[in-house]
Each structure stands twice: as structure tokens, then as C-alpha cells.
Amino acid sequence: MMDNVSEITMFFLSGLNETNTHRFTLFSLTLLCYCVILLVNVSLIVTIILDKNLHEPMYILLCTFCMNGLYGTTGFYPKFLWDLLSPVHVISYSGCLVQALVIYTFACSDLSILSVMAFDRYVAICRPLEYHSVMSKQRVLMLVCFSWVTPFCIVATNTFLASRLKLCSPYIARLFCVNWIIVKLACFPAETFVNDIVAYITLMIYVFHGVFIVWSYMYLIKTCVNSAENRAKFMQTCVPHLTSLLTFVVTILFDVVNMRFGSKDLPQTFKNVVAIEFLVIPPIMNPLIYGFKLTKIRNKILYLITFKTK
């Protein structure tokens, strides 16, 4: 297998080349952003773990959601902060593959978790009498494992196929490594046929996830229309989920469209902003949305804050 690997041992990330004059400002803002992400996600995770009243399927899935946010952002922010203070922005060949694996495992897991959360809300509102039997602890654990293991296997397959290509350029015009960009550096485009097929299968799998979520919510809305109690449940627990879904889909679609169809004439700064949106907005917004909207979590956090200030 080593004979098929290129001689390239380092990649040069050229996405930061136009921001030399604002390096320290960017570093400060990025560090602040990462600290906020750590604070809000860890706060929600700790709150859910420590309060036994929150050991319910919806909150366990939310805890999983926040853990995934920490996992994904750890694959980007430490390296990016280091690059902001470094004169040369390089990453090792193996480090680049690992970063691509982590960041896109995070993105795919987010969509998987959102799908499981949609299923949870469907059972809670449309089949309330069966909720505890359907969403048992064993099943919730199985669904959480599905949300992490399946995306990891799928993205790892894409990454492995990319690692077998012979590359002709060490330059990546982005802030971080992406599997699709690595594949585009292949010396022989004909060799990327299998990569393209697997990439489109992956895309279709997660489009199906999106279709399932949309179908679930269409059914939920239809069920809730004629019931005041169900409408209240929908507004309380489903609106945060829909907001998270919309935020995630919009940010990830911007990046995918820009990466695959974006014009080379677009300013690099604009491309950078589009590329990192899904690593900035959802990890900050999701804990805040759920923290403020879900009554049990909001009350618990307010209680802890009040208790500590006394």
C-alpha cells in the first residue's frame, strides 16, 4: 500500500495568507469563540449528568449532541489558533487525514443525532403511551452508538480511499483539511473514480437522514394541529430541535456548495467564513437554544447560578 502513497509528507494551508495584518485580532476572537463553545457545551453536559431528573432520552441525546460539538471543534480550533501565531501554516500528511476524519465525522454525527432526536420527538408526541417502552435505556444507548459509530465508519472509508491516492500538490487553499480537497489533488483523476462513488453514496445516506427528519416533522405538525397539549409539547421541545437542524443544514450546505461549485474569483476571506460557519454557529447556538428553551435545563442552570452566588 505504501507504494501507492505520494511522497508528500506535509500540506501547506494557504487559507490564512490574506489575513496577515489582522492575525492577533483573529487569534483573540477565535480564542474567545472557542472558550464560549467549551463553556456552554460543558455546562450543559455537566448539568445533565449531575441531575438524575434529566436522565431521560431527550436529555441524554442532547448531552450526546453537545459532546459531539466538543469533539468536532477540538479537531479545528487548537490547530487554527496555532496557525494564527505561526509564520508558516503546515500540517503533516497523517495529521491532515486525521483532521479531515474528525471534522467530517462530527458533521455527519450531528445529522445522525438530529435524526434520532426527531424520532424521539415523534414517539413522545404521536405514541406517548409507548414512549418508555420504545425509548428504553438500551435502545437509547444503541441509537447513540449508531449516531457515532456509523458516521465514523463511513467517513473513515472515504479517508482511507483518499490516503491511497498519489498527490501532485501539497497546497490546500483552506483553513483546515477536507477529504474532497485532498482527492482533488490527485495526480491521476481517473484513480478517483471509487472515491467519487463512495462520496456520493455518503452524500445520499445523509440526504436520506434529512428526508427522514422532514417527514417526521411533517407528521408531527399534522398530529399537533388539533391538540392544544401536543402543540405545547411541540413548541417546548421541537422548536429548539428544528432551530438546531436549520442552523446546521444552512451552514453545512454553504460549505459544500462553496467547496464543490464555488468560483475561484471569490475572495479568500469570504471562502474562509463560509468554510468555518458549521464549526462556529451550531456548537455555540445549540446549547444556548436548548438551555433557554427547555424548562428543566433552564431551571437547573438558574438554580445552580443562584446557589453559587449566595
Side-chain angles (χ1 to χ4, degrees):
M1 187 179 74
M2 291 300 294
D3 294 337
N4 293 330
V5 177
S6 73
E7 296 299 321
I8 293 173
T9 58
M10 303 288 288
F11 286 107
F12 295 87
L13 302 173
S14 59
L16 274 175
N17 289 352
E18 293 182 9
T19 59
N20 288 328
T21 54
H22 307 290
R23 192 69 55 86
F24 290 104
T25 303
L26 270 174
F27 177 84
S28 301
L29 291 173
T30 303
L31 182 60
L32 176 63
C33 180
Y34 189 41
C35 288
V36 171
I37 288 171
L38 292 175
L39 176 64
V40 294
N41 283 280
V42 169
S43 296
L44 212 58
I45 291 167
V46 171
T47 300
I48 292 170
I49 290 173
L50 294 181
D51 191 343
K52 291 185 179 180
N53 294 322
L54 298 177
H55 293 181
E56 299 173 11
M58 181 174 68
Y59 299 106
I60 293 170
L61 292 172
L62 176 55
C63 187
T64 305
F65 203 34
C66 292
M67 287 178 178
N68 191 56
L70 291 177
Y71 161 74
T73 52
T74 301
F76 169 70
Y77 282 95
K79 175 67 173 73
F80 182 55
L81 287 166
W82 178 264
D83 284 343
L84 285 169
L85 298 179
S86 304
V88 181
H89 313 125
V90 296
I91 187 170
S92 67
Y93 180 86
S94 57
C96 189
L97 292 176
V98 169
Q99 186 180 55
L101 174 68
V102 169
I103 290 176
Y104 277 91
T105 302
F106 150 70
C108 293
S109 293
D110 249 16
L111 197 53
S112 293
I113 295 166
L114 286 166
S115 299
V116 175
M117 292 171 88
F119 175 71
D120 173 74
R121 290 301 84 204
Y122 159 75
V123 177
I125 293 174
C126 300
R127 298 163 60 185
L129 299 179
E130 304 172 48
Y131 181 72
H132 291 290
S133 60
V134 173
M135 296 301 290
S136 63
K137 288 184 179 179
Q138 292 80 5
R139 183 157 294 162
V140 170
L141 180 61
M142 183 185 71
L143 290 171
V144 167
C145 290
F146 158 79
S147 301
W148 272 335
V149 175
T150 305
F152 182 85
C153 293
I154 292 171
V155 177
T157 302
N158 282 270
T159 305
F160 171 73
L161 290 172
S163 73
R164 298 172 68 250
L165 298 173
K166 183 170 182 177
L167 310 180
C168 286
S169 172
Y171 295 98
I172 295 177
R174 286 177 70 91
L175 301 175
F176 57 90
C177 292
V178 180
N179 189 70
W180 178 253
I181 300 297
I182 297 171
V183 171
K184 285 173 69 176
L185 299 176
C187 297
F188 309 106
E191 292 183 353
T192 67
F193 178 74
V194 175
N195 297 72
D196 293 339
I197 294 296
V198 173
Y200 282 114
I201 290 173
T202 302
L203 186 62
M204 290 307 299
I205 289 171
Y206 288 99
V207 165
F208 175 76
H209 278 57
V211 170
F212 170 77
I213 295 170
V214 170
W215 174 83
S216 298
Y217 273 94
M218 286 177 66
Y219 197 89
L220 276 170
I221 291 168
K222 182 181 176 182
T223 303
C224 294
V225 166
N226 298 319
S227 168
E229 183 184 350
N230 283 343
R231 281 201 300 273
K233 279 186 183 179
F234 184 88
M235 293 301 295
Q236 180 67 28
T237 62
C238 297
V239 169
H241 180 247
L242 281 174
T243 307
S244 296
L245 175 65
L246 184 63
T247 303
F248 173 79
V249 169
V250 169
T251 53
I252 205 75
L253 276 178
F254 265 112
D255 185 40
V256 170
V257 171
N258 177 56
M259 185 167 51
R260 299 217 171 194
F261 310 108
S263 170
K264 292 182 180 179
D265 298 327
L266 290 172
Q268 185 61 45
T269 303
F270 174 79
K271 291 181 181 180
N272 290 344
V273 170
V274 169
I276 65 171
E277 277 183 333
F278 77 101
L279 290 161
V280 176
I281 299 173
I284 292 176
M285 291 298 294
N286 292 337
L288 292 176
I289 290 166
Y290 283 100
F292 283 114
K293 187 65 180 173
L294 297 180
T295 306
K296 282 188 178 181
I297 291 180
R298 185 175 67 246
N299 291 344
K300 182 65 178 179
I301 291 173
L302 290 173
Y303 169 78
L304 291 172
I305 292 171
T306 305
F307 180 77
K308 287 182 179 180
T309 55
K310 286 184 178 179

